[in-house]
C-alpha cells in the first residue's frame, strides 16, 4: 500500500549520486544549483546554511530567477489588493533612488520634501479643515499606520483619564469582526481590550454603528471604522458612526474619537465617490490610514497615516534625534525605511492627477460590475458584494447622489458604494442540484490554470457562508475579466458533469504541506 506521506527532501538525498572521492565531489555541483552553477564550478550548495564559498553573480541570479518562476503570476493574483504594475518612468525613479534611507533627513532633504508634499496632497483630498494643521508620515504599510493611529488614541485617552484622576488600566477599542488582522494586532500588541462588533447579513457583513455603541464605555479609546471591508469591499458608514457617538457623548459626557482604516478606500473613495462624507469632513474623525501600494498604485511597501491636526499626535509618540547630523523628529515604529516607494507615490500623484485616479477608479468599478453581472446571470453563483446593485439611500444622502448624477448608469454613483471587489458563492439552486460540488474546488482548479481566486469563510458570526473573491485592480483589464468569466464557467461546468479529471484535480489540489521532523511532507486530505 502506498504511503500518503512523501518526504521530498529525504527522497532526493537517497536518489542523488554519492561519490566516494573528494575530488569528484568538488567537481560536481549539487543539482539545486542548476547547470549555471555547474558551469561556474560551484560546490555543493546548502539550502539552510551559509555556503562556505560563494558563486558568481550570474549563477546566483539565474538560480534564484529560475526558482522564483515557480511563484504565481502577480498579474493573475486576484486575491490581492496590492498593485502589480507601474509605468516605466516610475520604476526608473524607484531604481535611481533605491539606496536612499528616508530616516537620514539631513542627507536627503529633497526626498523629505517629497514626503511632505505627498502628505499635504493626501490630506487635501481627505478634506482636512482649513483651520487644522494636518501632520502625518509614510509607513511600511497600513499595518504600521494602524498601530500609530491606535497608539495616538490610547495616549490621549490615558492623558485625559490621568488628569481626571481616573485609572488607565482597562483601555478598550471597538471595531467590527470583519476587521483585517492588523487591527487585532494593535489590540494584542499594545494591551488594549479588543471588542468585536458582530456582523451578519442584516448588517451587510460590516460593522453596524448602532450595534457598536452597545460596546462602548468610559474606557473606550476609540472606534476604528473600515472604509472597504477585506471580505466584500463594502464601506462602513463613518458619518452614521459619528452621529451615534455624538448622541452617546451627549448622554454620558464621554468623548470617543474615530480612526478610519482606509487601507484600500483612502485612494479610491475620493475619486469614485467625491461627494461621499467619510474623511476629515466628519468632525469626529481624528486620523486616517491608507496603503499607497493598493489603490495609490505604488509597488508594495508604502502606507500613510495622517492626523487631522497636530494636537491628535500625542507628544509621547514623537522622538527627537540628534545623531544624524541635525535635529530630526521621528514618530514611526520602524526607523530606517526606503525612500523609493514614497517617490513612486509622488510620481503617481503628478502623473495621474485627480482626473487620472478618477478614470482608473471608474474603469475598475465597471469591470467589477461586468464580472458580477455575468456570474449572477449564469445562475451558478450569487454575488455577495454590492457594487453592481442600484444605490439606495433616503434623505440628504439620496439628494446628494441625485445631484451628482446618479441617473447615469455608467456612473459609480448609480450603484452601491464600495471597492471594486467581487465576492460570490454558489447559488442556493446550484447547491441543491449539484450537492457533490465543493466551492473550494473552484479555487483549486482555477489555481491550476494560473488564476489565484481565494475561497474563504465570512467573518465570525457569518462563517457558515464561504465566498470566492476577485479584486479588480488597474491591471485587471476588461479582456482579463472576459477570460476569467470563461474559465469560471468552464470549470464549473466540468464539476457539474462530475468530470473525473476535474474532480481528481480539485481533490489533489487539497493536499496540505506539513512540517514533520523539520522536513516538508505532502499530506493528502483524502486518498486518491
Amino acid at each position: 500500500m502506498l504511503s500518503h506521506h512523501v518526504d521530498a527532501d529525504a527522497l532526493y538525498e537517497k536518489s542523488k549520486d554519492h561519490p566516494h572521492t573528494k575530488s569528484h565531489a568538488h567537481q560536481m555541483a549539487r543539482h539545486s544549483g542548476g547547470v549555471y552553477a555547474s558551469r561556474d564550478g560551484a560546490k555543493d550548495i546548502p539550502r539552510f546554511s551559509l555556503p562556505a564559498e560563494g558563486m558568481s553573480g550570474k549563477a546566483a541570479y539565474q538560480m534564484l530567477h529560475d526558482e522564483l518562476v515557480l511563484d504565481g503570476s502577480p498579474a493573475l493574483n486576484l486575491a490581492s489588493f496590492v498593485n502589480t504594475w507601474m509605468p516605466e518612468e516610475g520604476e526608473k525613479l524607484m531604481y535611481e533612488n533605491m539606496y536612499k534611507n528616508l530616516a537620514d533627513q539631513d542627507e536627503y532633504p529633497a526626498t523629505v520634501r517629497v514626503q511632505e508634499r505627498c502628505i499635504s496632497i493626501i490630506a487635501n483630498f481627505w478634506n482636512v479643515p482649513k483651520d487644522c494643521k494636518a501632520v502625518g508620515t509614510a509607513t511600511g504599510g497600513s499595518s504600521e499606520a494602524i498601530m500609530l493611529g491606535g497608539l495616538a488614541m490610547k495616549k490621549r485617552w490615558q492623558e485625559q483619564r490621568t488628569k481626571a484622576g481616573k485609572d488607565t488600566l482597562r483601555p478598550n477599542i471597538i471595531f467590527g469582526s470583519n476587521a483585517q488582522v492588523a487591527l487585532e494586532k494593535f489590540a494584542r500588541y499594545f494591551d488594549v481590550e479588543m471588542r468585536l462588533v458582530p456582523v451578519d447579513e442584516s448588517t451587510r457583513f460590516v460593522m453596524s454603528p448602532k450595534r457598536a455603541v452597545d460596546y462602548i464605555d468610559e474606557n473606550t479609546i476609540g472606534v476604528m471604522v473600515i472604509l472597504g471591508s477585506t471580505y466584500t469591499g463594502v464601506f462602513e458608514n463613518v458619518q452614521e458612526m459619528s452621529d451615534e457617538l455624538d448622541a452617546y457623548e451627549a448622554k454620558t459626557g464621554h468623548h470617543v474619537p474615530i480612526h478610519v482604516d482606509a487601507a484600500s478606500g483612502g485612494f479610491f473613495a475620493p475619486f469614485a465617490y467625491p461627494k461621499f462624507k467619510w474623511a476629515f469632513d466628519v468632525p469626529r474623525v481624528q486620523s486616517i490610514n491608507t496603503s499607497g501600494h493598493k489603490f495609490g498604485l505604488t509597488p508594495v511597501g508604502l502606507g500613510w497615516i495622517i492626523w487631522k491636526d497636530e494636537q491628535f499626535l500625542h507628544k509621547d509618540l514623537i522622538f527627537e534625534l540628534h545623531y544624524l547630523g541635525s535635529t530630526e523628529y521621528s514618530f514611526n515604529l520602524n526607523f530606517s525605511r526606503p525612500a523609493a516607494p514614497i517617490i513612486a507615490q509622488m510620481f503617481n500623484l503628478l502623473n495621474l492627477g485627480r482626473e487620472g485616479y478618477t478614470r482608473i477608479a471608474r474603469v475598475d468599478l465597471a469591470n467589477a460590475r461586468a464580472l458580477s453581472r455575468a456570474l449572477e446571470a449564469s445562475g451558478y453563483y450569487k454575488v455577495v458584494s454590492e457594487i453592481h446593485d442600484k444605490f439606495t439611500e433616503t434623505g440628504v444622502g439620496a439628494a446628494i447622489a441625485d445631484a451628482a448624477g446618479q441617473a447615469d448608469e455608467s456612473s459609480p454613483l448609480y450603484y452601491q458604494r464600495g471597492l471594486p471587489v467581487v465576492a460570490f458563492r454558489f447559488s442556493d439552486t446550484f447547491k441543491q442540484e449539484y450537492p457533490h460540488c465543493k466551492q473550494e474546488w473552484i479555487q483549486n482548479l482555477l489555481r491550476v490554470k494560473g488564476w489565484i481566486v481565494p475561497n474563504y469563510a465570512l467573518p465570525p458570526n457569518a462563517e457558515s457562508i464561504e465566498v470566492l473573491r476577485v479584486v479588480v485592480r488597474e491591471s485587471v483589464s476588461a479582456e482579463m475579466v472576459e477570460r476569467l468569466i470563461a474559465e469560471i464557467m468552464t470549470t464549473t461546468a466540468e464539476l457539474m458533469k462530475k468530470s473525473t479529471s476535474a474532480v481528481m484535480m480539485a481533490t489533489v489540489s487539497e493536499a496540505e504541506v506539513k512540517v514533520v521532523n523539520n522536513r516538508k511532507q505532502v499530506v493528502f486530505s483524502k486518498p486518491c
Side-chain angles (χ1 to χ4, degrees):
M1 180 177 179
L2 291 176
S3 170
H4 292 296
H5 299 274
V6 179
D7 187 332
D9 287 344
L11 192 62
Y12 171 74
E13 287 298 324
K14 290 179 181 179
S15 302
K16 71 175 186 177
D17 290 341
H18 292 278
H20 297 288
T21 63
K22 188 174 182 180
S23 60
H24 181 72
H26 276 281
Q27 293 170 7
M28 294 292 290
R30 183 178 176 184
H31 291 286
S32 66
V35 296
Y36 320 103
S38 301
R39 291 187 180 191
D40 243 13
K43 301 174 184 177
D44 197 42
I45 304 168
R47 294 182 61 191
F48 302 111
S49 61
L50 185 68
E53 297 180 15
M55 63 176 69
S56 72
K58 182 180 292 186
Y61 165 82
Q62 195 65 54
M63 185 179 73
L64 285 170
H65 171 84
D66 289 352
E67 182 175 346
L68 294 172
V69 167
L70 299 175
D71 277 343
S73 167
L76 297 181
N77 181 6
L78 306 183
S80 178
F81 286 87
V82 175
N83 181 54
T84 58
W85 178 85
M86 190 167 193
E88 181 181 347
E89 296 84 356
E91 292 180 341
K92 183 179 179 183
L93 275 169
M94 291 191 71
Y95 178 78
E96 292 170 352
N97 293 278
M98 66 186 297
Y99 296 111
K100 289 184 179 179
N101 182 1
L102 188 66
D104 197 345
Q105 299 177 28
D106 186 61
E107 183 68 22
Y108 305 118
T111 302
V112 172
R113 287 195 293 272
V114 168
Q115 177 183 238
E116 291 171 349
R117 289 178 66 191
C118 286
I119 290 167
S120 294
I121 292 170
I122 296 169
N124 180 269
F125 63 66
W126 285 350
N127 299 315
V128 68
K130 292 183 178 179
D131 59 346
C132 290
K133 188 176 181 180
V135 60
T137 184
T139 61
S142 275
S143 292
E144 181 187 0
I146 286 167
M147 306 294 167
L148 291 170
L151 281 170
M153 290 194 295
K154 182 181 178 183
K155 289 291 185 181
R156 281 176 59 82
W157 173 83
Q158 289 174 325
E159 184 177 67
Q160 291 162 1
R161 295 277 294 179
T162 300
K163 286 180 179 178
K166 298 179 179 180
D167 74 81
T168 59
L169 301 176
R170 299 181 298 277
N172 67 69
I173 191 164
I174 313 297
F175 45 81
S177 62
N178 58 305
Q180 205 263 359
V181 69
L183 281 69
E184 298 187 30
K185 283 184 178 180
F186 162 74
R188 190 182 301 181
Y189 290 175
F190 295 104
D191 298 321
V192 178
E193 179 192 352
M194 176 178 63
R195 295 187 175 179
L196 295 177
V197 181
V199 306
D200 54 41
E201 191 167 5
S202 71
T203 69
R204 302 157 65 210
F205 306 109
V206 295
M207 182 179 69
S208 161
K210 293 186 183 301
R211 282 188 188 177
V213 173
D214 294 337
Y215 292 79
I216 295 171
D217 60 26
E218 64 177 345
N219 292 312
T220 300
I221 67 172
V223 178
M224 288 191 172
V225 184
I226 302 169
L227 196 75
S229 171
T230 299
Y231 291 90
T232 60
V234 173
F235 292 164
E236 293 181 344
N237 196 322
V238 181
Q239 182 64 67
E240 184 182 351
M241 189 73 253
S242 180
D243 293 342
E244 291 290 338
L245 292 173
D246 288 346
Y248 174 82
E249 183 173 0
K251 184 169 70 173
T252 65
H254 301 314
H255 178 79
V256 180
I258 291 175
H259 172 86
V260 179
D261 172 21
S264 296
F267 267 98
F268 195 83
F271 308 110
Y273 313 102
K275 300 295 184 181
F276 178 43
K277 288 185 68 175
W278 65 272
F280 292 132
D281 46 357
V282 177
R284 199 168 284 268
V285 173
Q286 77 174 33
S287 55
I288 303 171
N289 70 272
T290 194
S291 294
H293 60 231
K294 293 179 180 174
F295 292 100
L297 306 179
T298 75
V300 68
L302 181 62
W304 298 99
I305 170 76
I306 297 178
W307 289 269
K308 179 165 59 179
D309 191 84
E310 56 189 358
Q311 66 174 302
F312 299 120
L313 175 60
H314 197 275
K315 62 181 184 300
D316 285 356
L317 298 183
I318 303 173
F319 291 84
E320 187 175 301
L321 313 174
H322 300 280
Y323 52 82
L324 290 176
S326 66
T327 300
E328 299 172 1
Y329 299 92
S330 172
F331 47 94
N332 295 88
L333 296 180
N334 194 50
F335 184 61
S336 294
R337 68 180 62 252
I342 296 162
I343 293 168
Q345 185 72 82
M346 191 71 236
F347 169 83
N348 280 336
L349 294 171
L350 293 172
N351 179 239
L352 292 171
R354 184 175 292 276
E355 184 278 332
Y357 273 109
T358 300
R359 174 171 25 86
I360 290 169
R362 291 173 69 105
V363 170
D364 289 349
L365 285 168
N367 288 336
R369 290 195 298 269
L371 175 58
S372 300
R373 292 172 184 140
L375 290 168
E376 290 210 324
S378 71
Y380 303 159
Y381 294 98
K382 164 67 177 174
V383 176
V384 178
S385 48
E386 301 179 350
I387 47 88
H388 66 300
D389 294 331
K390 188 174 179 180
F391 181 84
T392 55
E393 190 166 285
T394 59
V396 176
I400 291 173
D402 286 334
Q406 185 187 11
D408 181 2
E409 293 190 22
S410 67
S411 169
L413 302 179
Y414 186 82
Y415 305 93
Q416 294 283 29
R417 292 183 289 255
L419 300 173
V421 169
V422 181
F424 57 104
R425 62 173 178 82
F426 281 153
S427 66
D428 293 340
T429 301
F430 183 92
K431 287 189 287 187
Q432 290 172 2
E433 294 185 11
Y434 303 97
H436 71 280
C437 291
K438 291 186 176 182
Q439 190 169 288
E440 62 263 35
W441 289 356
I442 300 296
Q443 168 188 292
N444 297 334
L445 290 171
L446 289 174
R447 184 68 179 86
V448 170
K449 299 177 182 179
W451 302 91
I452 303 175
V453 178
N455 181 81
Y456 57 88
L458 287 177
N461 207 45
E463 62 264 42
S464 61
I465 303 173
E466 291 187 350
V467 295
L468 293 148
R469 188 194 70 192
V470 171
V471 180
V472 181
R473 307 183 302 271
E474 180 190 12
S475 58
V476 181
S477 65
E479 290 75 19
M480 281 184 66
V481 169
E482 183 179 1
R483 184 67 247 163
L484 176 63
I485 292 169
E487 295 281 16
I488 292 173
M489 295 302 113
T490 300
T491 299
T492 309
E494 289 174 353
L495 291 176
M496 290 164 60
K497 293 185 296 186
K498 296 186 179 181
S499 165
T500 303
S501 60
V503 173
M504 180 179 292
M505 186 65 72
T507 304
V508 169
S509 296
E510 291 177 0
E512 301 176 17
V513 177
K514 295 185 178 180
V515 177
V516 181
N517 296 327
N518 295 321
R519 292 184 181 276
K520 290 182 179 179
Q521 295 186 348
V522 179
V523 182
F524 292 101
S525 58
K526 59 183 72 175
C528 60

